[in-house]
Amino acid sequence: MSEKILTRNFDRPDGHSLAVYRETGGYAALEKARAMEPAAIVDEIKKSNLRGLGGAGFPTGMKWSFIPKDHQGPVYLVINADEGEPGTFKDRYLLERDPHALIEGMIIAARAIRAALGFVYIRGEYVEPWRRFSAAVREAYDAGYLGTGFDIVVHRGAGAYICGEETGLISSLEGKKGWPKVKPPFPAIKGAFGAPTIVNNVETIACVPHIINRGAAWFASLGSKTQGGTRLYSVSGRVNRPGVYEESCSITLRELIERAGGVSGSGRLKGVVPGGSSAPILAAHEIDVVMDVDGLRNAGTMAGSAGVIVFDDTVSVPEALMVVARFYAHESCGQCTPCRESTGWIYKMCHRIVDGHGRKDDLDTILDVAKRGAGTTICAFYDGAVGPYISYIEKYRSEFEALCRS
Amino acid sequence: MRRLQSLYPDKRGALLPVLHLAQDTFGYVSLEVEEYVASLFLLSPAHVHEVVTFYTLYFREPKGRHVVAVCHNLSCYLAGARPILAHIEARLGIEAGQTTDDGRITLQSVECLCACEAAPMMQVDDRYELDLTPDKVDHILEGLR
Ligand SMILES: Cc1cc2nc3c(=O)[nH]c(=O)nc-3n(C[C@H](O)[C@H](O)[C@H](O)COP(=O)(O)O)c2cc1C
Ligand code: SF4
Ligand code: FES
């Protein structure tokens, strides 16, 4: 088991309070960072091999360095707390149980990118996490950590998965419907309210104080060669002890499932979705993979949000795909034709197959339609939908065929 | 309201929070409320309408005194969300998307609420109710007046 870093106060009932945070070394990193030049902070984060933990796995220090050096006007820091990727729940834990790690990380990140204002975009359904986090922000104001060169606005979303996509989130923060925008320009050049903006996930920024406190080399050594740190794996589905597990990025999927008490139900594994519902599924024989960004990419899937969903061999993959396809059909923002049309159509086809009215050729048609649209859309939502469509059908084709009439 | 608007570099940023406030005050976001909010932001009512209809948490019709939203996404499905939803529908005599005749409960079937470790689960008003069983659900529903 890895040393507990992000989760060290999770088990304490008062772990979210400023008192406990300080008592366990909180806000010491901030003092250290205040003595550092912004460029030195960016450098430290680069050396730590911290990679974005919201989905895309982009190196955080490098992202911060994209803010134009000669920029005069405001720069914003936006925290993505719109957690919505099916199978993921770790940001909820961080907001409720260690809110000051996010606040301290934000103040340090803001110094690095020279932002005076930060937004935390919390999904609308997260009422309790919003209350908890807002209370922590008030504590930080009262203690003088905030309001002295950096301010935080806590913003509530209103229900739309697509607002988790960073440009959709920015549209929504601007008071519009959450339509993703064409990139480039990237947010670091032209983001929220037209200003250079860094969007980072809650967990990514919660790592920052620890890196500053204990050094980039230490953080890098916790993980794999190309990804530093531990991360929070959300494990659910058919396991004996579902929950948040903090483990090294170099853990294998097999080990992780064991940590979560092993496979429940029949006890026999059928497959695992390793990085939230948009990550292609891995079959039972593919679980010796290392759970870092590159390991999962090489295995043909993705680390995504580290939401691990386990299927035992009693799960019907076609039914599971129908459930997943319904989600993508419901959440497509509708801007791009392939995404809008294909997600709706594929959901209907999955329904038809599960109802016993499908034909074997339908499977090839679904694969063909799915592949044709991939890579052509404004945002990565559609590629995320295509991941499960293709992998579920290709890896479990006989199960689909068994349901087909002809 | 003005305070909310002043928090954002452009006051339009406060549109979602103000719509939340409006819904808390009026119960739902009617066309009249949209017009009123539009006037506060110097926007056309059509712009506000477009925003309101994009998001699932704004109600455009009166809702029940309580909103029960059962998650039907993957992890909850794997843990038996379907029988739980069917049980609630039978108890309340309505389907997901409907409100009981007495206006007590609006029932919804929703996407992942990101509490999959405690599946099957549902949201009741502001609260997450976790690790549902039919008995637990009965108890929760009885508590809603
Ligand atoms: C459809 C879609 C949904 C996303 N949802 C989330 C989300 O809920 N939370 C999140 O942090 N990132 C989400 N992302 C990734 C963000 O676009 C962005 O990469 C991330 O917030 C950047 O932060 P990071 O570099 O710290 O990971 C999503 C991306 C896509 C395409
Ligand atoms: S890919 Fe889908 S979700 Fe993304 S912008 Fe296009 S239509 Fe919207
Ligand atoms: S699938 Fe139900 S909470 Fe995530």
Side-chain angles (χ1 to χ4, degrees):
Chain A
M1 205 189 299
S2 309
E3 181 196 350
K4 285 189 170 182
I5 298 153
L6 293 164
T7 57
R8 74 205 178 294
N9 291 334
F10 275 20
D11 294 335
R12 296 182 60 161
D14 54 352
H16 59 282
S17 68
L18 178 58
V20 171
Y21 188 67
R22 271 207 200 114
E23 181 192 308
T24 50
Y27 289 105
L30 178 58
E31 261 178 53
K32 224 167 144 182
R34 283 196 168 134
M36 291 166 79
E37 284 301 316
I41 301 175
V42 175
D43 231 40
E44 193 72 4
I45 300 301
K46 275 188 187 161
K47 280 192 231 141
S48 75
N49 281 345
L50 173 64
R51 296 177 73 160
L53 301 169
F58 194 83
T60 306
M62 197 194 297
K63 187 191 272 188
W64 292 3
S65 70
F66 292 157
I67 296 281
K69 300 273 168 309
D70 50 357
H71 178 75
Q72 292 301 319
V75 170
Y76 302 121
L77 173 66
V78 174
I79 301 305
N80 191 339
D82 193 44
E83 187 159 61
E85 180 70 19
T88 315
F89 36 87
K90 43 111 185 164
D91 294 338
R92 194 181 101 242
Y93 277 70
L94 285 167
L95 292 168
E96 287 189 353
R97 301 182 190 208
D98 202 11
H100 284 286
L102 175 58
I103 296 171
E104 186 181 13
M106 285 181 73
I107 305 172
I108 297 169
R111 178 171 173 81
I113 63 169
R114 300 175 192 276
L117 184 56
F119 297 92
V120 179
Y121 185 111
I122 302 182
R123 76 176 286 179
E125 293 88 343
Y126 275 3
V127 181
E128 196 49 39
W130 168 65
R131 287 194 184 125
R132 269 283 175 86
F133 184 71
S134 301
V137 167
R138 281 193 296 276
E139 279 184 313
Y141 269 105
D142 290 344
Y145 295 122
L146 292 174
T148 47
F150 181 65
D151 287 286
I152 291 180
V153 173
V154 185
H155 181 95
R156 282 183 68 204
Y161 166 69
I162 196 57
C163 293
E165 196 281 336
E166 59 184 2
T167 58
L169 184 142
I170 287 171
S171 297
S172 180
L173 186 65
E174 292 171 338
K176 301 171 191 156
K177 57 189 171 179
W179 272 11
K181 303 176 191 188
V182 178
K183 293 188 259 190
F186 287 92
I189 309 298
K190 187 168 183 281
F193 307 100
T197 300
I198 292 297
V199 181
N200 271 134
N201 171 258
V202 172
E203 185 186 355
T204 309
I205 295 299
C207 290
V208 168
H210 302 288
I211 296 170
I212 298 300
N213 254 334
R214 298 171 70 175
W218 163 79
F219 190 82
S221 75
L222 296 173
S224 67
K225 232 187 180 155
T226 54
Q227 182 173 12
T230 54
R231 80 178 294 183
L232 304 183
Y233 294 93
S234 306
V235 186
S236 69
R238 300 278 167 84
V239 286
N240 287 309
R241 288 194 303 272
V244 171
Y245 289 86
E246 177 171 15
E247 296 292 345
S248 164
C249 297
S250 65
I251 195 171
T252 67
L253 182 49
R254 183 184 299 279
E255 290 166 329
L256 185 61
I257 294 170
E258 277 162 23
R259 295 271 197 282
V263 181
S264 64
S266 71
R268 290 182 305 268
L269 186 66
K270 178 180 265 184
V272 190
V273 178
S277 82
S278 305
I281 193 167
L282 291 170
H285 66 274
E286 296 176 297
I287 63 169
D288 289 305
V289 59
V290 172
M291 294 291 284
D292 69 344
V293 172
D294 296 316
L296 287 162
R297 185 178 293 153
N298 292 337
T301 178
M302 62 182 195
S305 59
V308 176
I309 308 168
V310 176
F311 292 13
D312 74 329
D313 71 355
T314 65
V315 172
S316 157
V317 174
E319 271 198 31
L321 183 59
M322 184 179 81
V323 168
V324 169
R326 173 176 59 192
F327 168 71
Y328 290 102
H330 183 254
E331 299 297 335
S332 169
C333 87
Q335 266 188 108
C336 317
T337 311
C339 175
R340 183 184 62 239
E341 301 296 323
S342 303
T343 53
W345 182 80
I346 289 174
Y347 168 50
K348 273 193 219 131
M349 293 302 284
C350 289
H351 214 300
R352 195 160 105 173
I353 291 168
V354 168
D355 286 347
H357 304 302
R359 291 178 322 170
K360 285 178 187 157
D361 329 342
D362 292 343
L363 296 171
D364 291 314
T365 317
I366 294 176
L367 290 173
D368 188 48
V369 166
K371 285 175 186 166
R372 248 187 290 143
T376 69
T377 52
I378 291 176
C379 88
F381 171 97
Y382 186 65
D383 295 342
V386 167
Y389 299 153
I390 294 182
S391 63
Y392 285 42
I393 294 176
E394 286 185 345
K395 292 188 183 177
Y396 303 91
R397 184 157 182 135
S398 60
E399 259 192 71
F400 286 86
E401 289 183 347
L403 292 174
C404 291
R405 274 186 298 131
S406 54
Chain B
M1 225 281 306
R2 294 239 179 285
R3 195 191 63 83
L4 277 174
Q5 289 183 336
S6 71
L7 294 175
Y8 296 81
D10 178 330
K11 70 176 178 184
R12 179 159 180 178
L15 185 55
L16 266 59
V18 166
L19 285 168
H20 278 304
L21 263 183
Q23 176 156 289
D24 290 346
T25 312
F26 302 108
Y28 69 106
V29 185
S30 63
L31 289 174
E32 292 73 49
V33 170
E34 285 178 5
E35 271 178 37
Y36 172 63
V37 171
S39 73
L40 299 173
F41 284 85
L42 306 175
L43 289 168
S44 75
H47 274 118
V48 175
H49 185 71
E50 187 182 83
V51 170
V52 170
T53 52
F54 185 82
Y55 297 96
T56 56
L57 295 182
Y58 299 129
F59 286 79
R60 291 155 60 214
E61 303 201 330
K63 55 179 158 66
R65 290 194 294 286
H66 303 282
V67 176
V68 172
V70 182
C71 172
H72 65 205
N73 209 303
L74 189 52
S75 302
C76 285
Y77 155 77
L78 292 173
R82 274 196 194 156
I84 288 290
L85 180 62
H87 178 81
I88 298 176
E89 288 178 333
R91 288 264 329 188
L92 298 178
I94 55 172
E95 283 176 18
Q98 299 178 334
T99 302
T100 53
D101 286 339
D102 58 3
R104 190 167 69 99
I105 292 174
T106 296
L107 180 63
Q108 299 178 320
S109 175
V110 300
E111 299 300 348
C112 181
L113 291 165
C114 292
C116 329
E117 80 279 26
M121 61 79 62
M122 64 185 182
Q123 180 160 20
V124 177
D125 302 325
D126 287 356
R127 284 191 323 281
Y128 274 18
E129 296 288 356
L130 308 173
D131 294 311
L132 300 177
T133 59
D135 281 350
K136 187 164 179 185
V137 163
D138 288 345
H139 186 74
I140 293 165
L141 293 180
E142 273 156 29
L144 301 178
R145 290 285 135 232

